[in-house]
Amino acid sequence: MAESDGHSAVAARTAVPTRDLFINGTWVAPVLNERLPIINPATEESIGAIPAATAEDVDKAVKAARDAFTRNGGKDWARATGAVRAKYLRAIAAKVTERKSQLAQLESMDNGKPIDEAEWDMDDVAGCFEYYAELAEGLDATKYTEIKVPMDTFKSHVTKEPIGVVALITPWNYPMLMAAWKVAPALAAGCCAILKPSELASITCLELGAIAADVGLPPGVLNIVTGLGPTAGAPLAEHPGVDKVAFTGSTATGQRIMMAATKAIKPVSLELGGKSALMVFEDADIDKAVEWAMFGAFWTNGQICSATSRLLVQESIADEFKRKLKAWAEAIVIADPLNRKSRLGPLVSESQHKLKAWAEAIVIDDTLNRKSRLGPLVSESQYEKVLGCIEAGKKDGATLLTGGKRPKHLPKGYFLEPTVFVDIKPHHKVWTDEIFGPVLSVDTFRTEEEAINKANDSIYGLAAAVISKDEARCQRVSEAIQCGIFWINCSQPCFCQAPWGGVKRSGFGRELGPWGLENYLSVKQVTKYISSDPWAWYPAPSKL
């Protein structure tokens, strides 16, 4: 597949490094010496293996983190200044930027994300570490916050301290970025961490260990264990040496982690599933709204918890909207995720530019020389799950507008056409259940009240969006929808400065921004008696 300027449309595949577990600053083979295959979802071929940790390995990692947290009275990390920790975070950010191309290719090969999306993710990883370096420095200025109390014989202040050893369990759809969302604020706060990435996409998370070693991060501050959920994730969540668990993933797994945490009464923060609604009103620019609907449902191959996969369109524009939606969906380029146009200039990290570039790349006329916009699903099991959901949608009586099958030109790999269902009923599983694939369900509404009621009729509450030129309406809808993230005239923008998290069965707690840092800090009250007078709570004995 040669490009007209002589360059290959498919980026050369980088070699997958062979790594062990990263514990106490060194690479350690798992106790049972077992490994799990890494399957490239675009080719269905094994491209390497990750170590399969078990409870014994987890115990080693927790001990290393605990030792690092308490070493030298905590002065080496937990009680070091924020400025000291910030130097390491910035060094990590610089190393991610230096290795951006390689890390993006590894990410794309591991989970099927189109290469340019993976590169944008690496920009955001570096940006996240830079951002929390700034917040770490800010902790020094606010270490002691005075509290006014009603008695002048006392002085009181609050200090914030790292919560301790934290378990960070992350998903496969944004492997390195979701790790950064947790690792960066945890380390900025002074915590020591054990990162457990998804077994379906662990390559770049292990490379984060290599980067930590390269920048000289003190041993034990960051430990990385890979493996299956039952044999590595569960022992980590249940470990008595862990002071907090932060998890991003499915609601079912989040429930199990909550139950495990209750045994030790340890705090948890959970960012779980979603089934977010996008409401389009009749005054919207239809072409722009279709573009956002596509992006909201099919970005990251549809494998994103905040995907606006429930589309609500006002009846008066529904027919035209569905016609254009079908045409756009059928024009999306489905290809090897490493396919790119080598003529493209350097990519940028600002979310607005990302969205514009994504939309402009949707239609490319030359089918043999086209940039991938939709890659494969992450694994065979996820592929079969999504196909099963599509079949359930058909059986329920929803109408398949387009997609729902393997593209004819891709006989191998876990590829699936972007899928759109219409004629939706409230009980249809494609409307109620999180599918985590490129599947969009479309319903209609007549009034604003009906749109709000349909949007809120979900067990989830992660995100939602509205598209309308009426600013007052947008404000009303934003206040009425039960969710943690709301977008107006867009879908999916994410900034590390803004809070991220949901309500209802989408979890609780917030990541990103200063709220993400607060996740890993404990508040301590310190009160001092400053009077020279005795307290005189009880008369002193006559004989002392």
Side-chain angles (χ1 to χ4, degrees), residues 8 65 94 99 121 149 163 185 191 213 238 247 274 289 294 373 377 426 437 463 516:
S8 173
R99 294 184 55 188
D121 286 355
V149 293
I163 203 167
C191 294
E238 296 169 359
F247 171 77
M294 298 270 291
R373 190 72 281 136
L377 298 178

Side-chain angles (χ1 to χ4, degrees), residues 4 43 83 97 109 196 252 258 282 310 339 403:
S4 58
T43 64
T97 299
M109 291 161 60
K196 193 302 187 173
M258 274 194 73
E282 60 188 0
R310 288 188 301 145
N339 271 21

Side-chain angles (χ1 to χ4, degrees), residues 279 310 312 448-458 481:
M279 294 154 278
R310 288 188 301 145
L312 287 159
E448 181 179 314
E449 182 181 12
E450 184 182 5
I452 291 169
N453 289 338
K454 286 188 173 184
N456 279 336
D457 185 18
S458 173
I481 299 299

